Amino acid sequence: MNIILLGPPGAGKGTQAHRLVVERGLVQLSTGDMLRDARTSGTEVGAQVAAVMDRGDLVTDEIVISLISEKLDGNISGNGFIFDGFPRTLAQADALSDLLKSKEQALDAVIEMKVDDEALVARITGRYTCSNCGAVYHDVTKKPTKDGKCDTCGGSDFTRRADDNEESLRTRLMAYYRDTSPLIGYYYAKDQLVRTDGLGEIDEVAARVGAVLEG
Ligand code: AMP
């Protein structure tokens, strides 16, 4: 089962991907996480993309396609992949299609998560993640059950993203509407698109995503 979660920043892709990892054993491939890891570990790619990411622009197709290609190679025997934040351009979508074909894998569904812009701003400006396992929390809507302790792994170290501020968010939204939203038409034409409402409680959205996967 290989799926793409498609939607603007703050739509809940990472949150839902994390649940699918825990509940269904899928492997989450988030190019955003891979790029942030590259920055933390001080690789050449990390240095190359730092300013672009902080601004909220997209990094080059070449870089993200090569990151995804490497990860696909190492994980092909699992239960399947959730592509989270990839593809973000038509060139990336074509590259993913070729990569999957070359590994005799199919794309089972592209789940578009629809959320209006106002909700995106509120979600993004309050969010933080567990530094250990990547579980996503929010100052208002999803605090850990025990203050300061991750519900999933018990970790107590949390981080906020440098690009989760209003100015970068504006650029990221622009990049989404300009470069990524054409993928909605692309996958619709291939009969792979399923549109879901990304608003509401995390459990409600998870139930909608689950229904798509079972349907
Ligand atoms: P995300 O965690 O998916 O919101 O991604 C954070 C940032 O990483 C984006 O704003 C881009 O700068 C970069 N990025 C992540 N995935 C991609 C991608 N598929 N194509 C281009 N840039 C990406």
Side-chain angles (χ1 to χ4, degrees):
M1 160 90 45
N2 299 313
I3 60 170
I4 294 174
L5 294 181
L6 184 62
K13 303 185 296 293
T15 301
Q16 295 302 329
H18 194 260
R19 283 184 69 130
L20 293 171
V21 169
V22 174
E23 291 167 10
R24 294 176 190 249
L26 298 180
V27 174
Q28 178 186 11
L29 294 183
S30 155
T31 40
D33 285 348
M34 291 172 205
L35 292 165
R36 279 184 288 278
D37 286 347
R39 291 178 65 172
T40 317
S41 50
T43 64
E44 199 180 312
V45 167
Q48 247 175 304
V49 300
V52 177
M53 287 177 74
D54 286 347
R55 250 192 346 257
D57 283 320
L58 294 185
V59 312
T60 64
D61 289 336
E62 197 187 354
I63 289 177
V64 288
I65 290 165
S66 111
L67 285 172
I68 282 284
S69 171
E70 263 172 48
K71 293 280 176 179
L72 276 180
D73 282 342
N75 285 296
I76 214 78
S77 56
N79 286 351
F81 297 105
I82 313 158
F83 296 95
D84 159 13
F86 179 91
R88 262 178 158 94
T89 64
L90 290 167
Q92 291 177 24
D94 280 337
L96 178 61
S97 167
D98 291 345
L99 274 171
L100 289 174
K101 217 174 280 163
S102 75
K103 295 178 196 318
E104 294 174 354
Q105 294 280 311
L107 186 59
D108 297 285
V110 178
I111 303 178
E112 183 202 353
M113 302 180 64
K114 282 157 59 80
V115 176
D116 58 60
D117 287 359
E118 223 167 279
L120 297 177
V121 176
R123 283 181 177 190
I124 283 208
T125 48
R127 80 176 170 183
Y128 56 98
T129 56
C130 170
S131 313
N132 181 46
C133 75
V136 187
Y137 296 96
H138 190 278
D139 291 328
V140 179
T141 55
K142 192 183 179 245
K143 296 179 183 172
T145 316
K146 271 198 198 141
D147 213 16
K149 254 201 185 327
C150 174
D151 293 342
T152 307
C153 75
S156 54
D157 191 21
F158 297 92
T159 44
R160 285 177 198 265
R161 286 171 45 168
D163 60 348
D164 276 353
N165 61 72
E166 279 204 55
E167 196 178 327
S168 298
L169 177 58
R170 215 169 301 132
T171 310
R172 286 155 70 200
L173 274 175
M174 189 64 90
Y176 177 77
Y177 290 119
R178 186 188 55 222
D179 299 314
T180 309
S181 65
L183 297 183
I184 294 168
Y186 175 96
Y187 287 117
Y188 174 78
K190 289 177 170 238
D191 206 16
Q192 287 176 311
L193 187 77
V194 185
R195 314 189 92 165
T196 56
D197 182 0
L199 276 175
E201 295 290 318
I202 292 168
D203 285 347
E204 285 169 356
V205 180
R208 290 179 206 134
V209 170
V212 172
L213 300 184
E214 267 131 44

